[in-house]
Amino acid sequence: MNLQHAPSVIPAAHNLQHMPAKQVLIVEDERPIREMIAFGLKRAGFEVREAEDCRAARAALADQRPDLVLIDWMLPDMSGLELTRALKRDRETRELPIIMLTARAEEGDKVAGLEGGADDYVTKPFSPRELLARINAVLRRATGNGADELIEFEGLALDQASHRVMVSDRTVPLGPTEYRMLEFFMTHPERVYTRDQLLDRIWGGNVYVEERTIDVHIRRLRKALEEFGYDRFVQTVRGSGYRFSARTV
Ligand code: CA
């Protein structure tokens, strides 16, 4: 592995073109908004399914697994945040990428959405173009860069082919964003990255994400690794950013 010139983890556009249509499930009770989103996504080549409440979303998910779920915060039967939490708790659905839609612009709500397990968060009103950029970024993180190496670091094994992270024979449960983050760290160890650099390398340059988001995902990654004793590898470098290292500072 060449640490100086490690390959970019963001896939080239041509890698995405040969994939079958990705399916997005839209969970939103307001029909005009749902249809507007569906229209935009279909035009961009996505296969779209729609659900008007959490119950319908559950039924749709049991029926067929989409590649990504868009969940509105305000839903009639259960909040979108609760649905997100429930899906992230369930073994069957916890790796499913979720983007939350909301009219709530407050920072606290955004963090609550991310803490609830959402992979990203889009505030209404949004442009179809912005939503599309977010969806593509989350899907890129979820599907990886096509490399299929087995990367090992002090007993922590990351399999790029299956997107699985293992310690001996136990799987470390990670969401798609935390997986991408760990993949980046494990392929770029022993170097300090600023939040800005991490956003650029993990999220890609075209998407606007607040730096605060990084901290939420770092926290989630540490939490997932904690049980296996690897959380100490994800180190905060005060005033600079983060570093992945087996050495104690
Ligand atoms: Ca709604």
Side-chain angles (χ1 to χ4, degrees):
M1 190 167 48
N2 185 336
L3 295 181
Q4 258 72 49
H5 302 284
S8 164
V9 292
I10 306 304
H14 68 263
N15 285 343
L16 297 169
Q17 280 169 10
H18 302 289
M19 289 180 180
K22 297 275 185 190
Q23 192 188 88
V24 176
L25 174 66
I26 307 169
V27 189
E28 161 69 279
D29 57 317
E30 283 158 273
R31 197 166 153 187
I33 297 177
R34 198 173 68 229
E35 287 177 349
M36 188 264 292
I37 296 170
F39 179 77
L41 292 184
K42 280 178 197 160
R43 237 176 45 164
F46 287 92
E47 204 179 292
V48 175
R49 287 160 77 215
E50 301 175 34
E52 57 184 12
D53 54 26
C54 296
R55 219 165 68 152
R58 292 283 208 177
L61 287 169
D63 183 45
Q64 209 185 343
R65 198 196 144 108
D67 295 287
L68 183 141
V69 192
L70 292 178
I71 302 178
D72 186 45
W73 187 299
M74 298 295 283
L75 292 166
D77 51 348
M78 187 190 200
S79 83
L81 182 61
E82 284 174 88
L83 176 63
T84 299
R85 283 204 186 106
L87 293 178
K88 290 292 177 182
R89 266 198 308 264
D90 187 337
R91 283 180 84 88
E92 293 290 313
T93 50
R94 77 177 160 213
E95 281 168 29
L96 202 56
I98 296 176
I99 295 180
M100 287 207 68
L101 306 175
T102 182
R104 300 164 174 244
E106 291 92 33
E107 176 77 359
D109 289 328
K110 172 169 183 162
V111 171
L114 293 172
E115 295 280 18
D119 296 281
D120 205 352
Y121 184 99
V122 179
T123 307
K124 291 175 178 175
F126 48 82
S127 69
R129 202 189 148 114
E130 183 194 353
L131 181 63
L132 204 60
R134 297 296 186 111
I135 288 174
N136 283 328
V138 169
L139 284 175
R140 260 200 314 267
R141 265 142 49 207
T143 51
N145 60 353
D148 56 356
E149 274 181 75
L150 184 71
I151 303 161
E152 257 197 272
F153 203 84
E154 308 272 326
L156 182 67
L158 181 140
D159 183 0
Q160 291 180 312
S162 66
H163 277 220
R164 200 166 278 169
V165 177
M166 310 276 294
V167 177
S168 342
D169 57 350
R170 293 175 66 204
T171 303
V172 181
L174 292 176
T177 306
E178 288 70 44
Y179 172 84
R180 293 285 289 158
M181 193 172 242
L182 185 61
E183 183 185 43
F184 177 76
F185 277 140
M186 287 178 75
T187 48
H188 303 78
E190 308 296 344
R191 259 199 67 173
V192 180
Y193 288 92
T194 64
R195 286 175 180 78
D196 205 39
Q197 287 171 325
L198 289 174
L199 282 175
D200 220 46
R201 303 296 294 271
I202 299 169
W203 272 255
N206 302 324
V207 176
Y208 177 73
V209 183
E210 282 166 51
E211 293 196 352
R212 176 88 169 75
T213 302
I214 284 280
D215 302 336
V216 174
H217 288 287
I218 288 275
R219 209 151 54 228
R220 263 201 243 162
L221 177 60
R222 278 189 181 134
K223 208 177 156 208
L225 293 173
E226 194 176 3
E227 187 190 334
F228 302 87
Y230 287 97
D231 53 310
R232 67 196 159 86
F233 284 20
V234 182
Q235 300 167 359
T236 304
V237 182
R238 200 174 293 204
S240 305
Y242 296 100
R243 166 181 58 210
F244 189 78
S245 172
R247 286 178 232 149
T248 40
V249 203

